[in-house]
Structure formats: structure tokens, C-alpha cells
Amino acid sequence: MANSSTEHWYPPAAYLYILHLDGPALAWEYLRRHPDYRRDWLRRSRRSHTAQHTAQRWGLRLLEDPALDTRDAHPIWLSDPYGVQLYPDADPMPGAALFTLWRIPGEKHLIHDGMRLMLRVRWPGCSLRLAVAPGLADGMAYVYAVRAGTDSVAHAQALVFELNKLALTNGAAPIAVVRPRPTLSALQELHTLQALDATLAGASLRDIAEGLFGPKVVARDWHADGALRARVRRLVRRGDTLMRGGYHSLIRRSLSG
């Protein structure tokens, strides 16, 4: 059974928000648990150049507080294929849509990453990241940009996916959102992060199994060479791998994954 050192990871309800995160948000959940990243945050320099260099080592533009989970943190990744880029329209058509910051639905957070303004928008069930070019101001016609390259189709699909989030008929955040049943991959992320936290707290494999699947299941199915023990071992290995650099793959992960 879990002891006082593992109580913070034991309640599964504390991890339910994990079920609805996209790749970049999941990547932050793994990175913020890395002991070396947490030390870098505590030792961060007041000199902007040094702090920026440290952040880039982790794939970030700026260091973010690891005490904040993805519901409160605003990490800016060096490579985020899903962020929407907004630029002034050099040749606007008659009746072109105009950029109006406050008509974008949801709770807004503005962050400057040293190059441009980043806008993080959230409303129930959705999250959207916008990169605003320096020359774009309220009331100007604007265009959406997608990076060129060998994976342009994937980037374009990601762009459409993000823009669909803004297709609200009344221009306001919905009061309630009906979410689909969590996918198997989402459940795997929940279990992996819970197992990772338990491991970092010093829990045994059996303690982790009890936290994930319940004491009754463990009492019945826990054997030295059993499937349950092997499953927990895989979750522990996966969590450690993702925390120690594997999170980069989540940032680039296919939206359909």
C-alpha cells in the first residue's frame, strides 16, 4: 500500500486532465518532471542570454516554472508544428476579415518570447496557440501561415485542425463541452505519468500497480512473471524515456495519434 512519500501520485482523479492534452501539452508534463530541468529552473540566471541558452537545451524558447502543470503553464517550444502563425495581409481582398484580439473566444495569455508575441487561448475542452507577427495590429487584415518543407501537408492539416477550434457561431466560449470517451493512447499517457511520479517518489512496482489498478486486481494478478507486472514495468520505462528527451517526439506527434 502507498505510504506518505507516494500520497501525491496515488489519487487517479488528480491526473484526469491528462486525458485531453495534445502533444505539446503532454511534452511539458514529462519535461517538468525531469530532475535536471527542475534544478535548471531553480538556478536560472537573471542574464537573458544565459537563461535563453539554458531553455534552448530543453527545446524551449523560455524557461517555464515546473511547479505549474499544463493547465497553468505556458511553455513555448522551439518547434511547435501546431501553433497558428498570423501575419499582416500584404494584399487584402475587399471585405477581408480583420484581426481583433478580444473577439477571439476564451481565456487569453500573452507572452513575448524575444522574437514575437505568443497568444495562448483556452476555453472548456480546447486550447489554441497563436504566434502574432510584430507588424500585426488590431483592425488589420491578416493571413494564416504554415511552414514549408517536406511535411507541409501535415502542417497544413494541423493548421486546419487548430482553426476549426475558432469556428464558434456566436463568438463566445461554450458553457459546456461534451468530450468523447478517452482514447487508449490518452489512458496510456495518464498511466505513464502516474507511474513516473510514483517512481520518482520511490514507490515499488507493486505500489504503482495498486495505485493504477487497485489492490484487489494486484492481489489476484501480481506474479513474478505475470502480465500485470510486465505492464507496470513497461509504463515505468516509457515514462523515464519520455521524461529524458523522448518528449520531443510528442511535440511532433500526428494529431490523429
Side-chain angles (χ1 to χ4, degrees), residues 58-203:
W58 298 102
L60 295 169
R61 293 190 183 275
L62 302 170
L63 289 173
E64 181 61 273
D65 186 352
L68 302 177
D69 66 41
T70 195
R71 293 169 293 185
D72 297 309
H74 306 287
I76 302 174
W77 299 101
L78 288 173
S79 176
D80 181 356
Y82 308 135
V84 176
Q85 302 179 55
L86 307 180
Y87 288 88
D89 189 347
D91 185 23
M93 300 287 290
L98 305 180
F99 178 70
T100 307
L101 176 64
W102 301 114
R103 293 191 65 182
I104 299 173
E107 178 185 3
K108 304 167 188 64
H109 296 269
L110 288 168
I111 309 166
H112 200 282
D113 68 355
M115 296 180 60
R116 57 191 175 183
L117 197 62
M118 306 296 296
L119 174 62
R120 177 79 177 265
V121 184
R122 291 172 176 165
W123 63 90
C126 288
S127 177
L128 182 65
R129 295 175 294 280
L130 301 169
V132 183
L136 182 62
D138 257 24
M140 294 179 62
Y142 64 103
V143 295
Y144 302 115
V146 60
R147 289 186 177 88
T150 56
D151 56 353
S152 293
V153 173
H155 285 173
Q157 290 173 342
L159 178 66
V160 172
F161 181 86
E162 293 290 286
L163 295 180
N164 282 341
K165 297 176 183 178
L166 288 174
L168 301 177
T169 57
N170 59 3
I175 297 175
V177 173
V178 178
R179 292 176 173 174
R181 180 183 293 275
T183 63
L184 291 178
S185 62
L187 288 172
Q188 182 185 43
E189 300 298 350
L190 184 152
H191 287 158
T192 302
L193 283 163
Q194 193 174 0
L196 176 59
D197 282 345
T199 301
L200 294 172

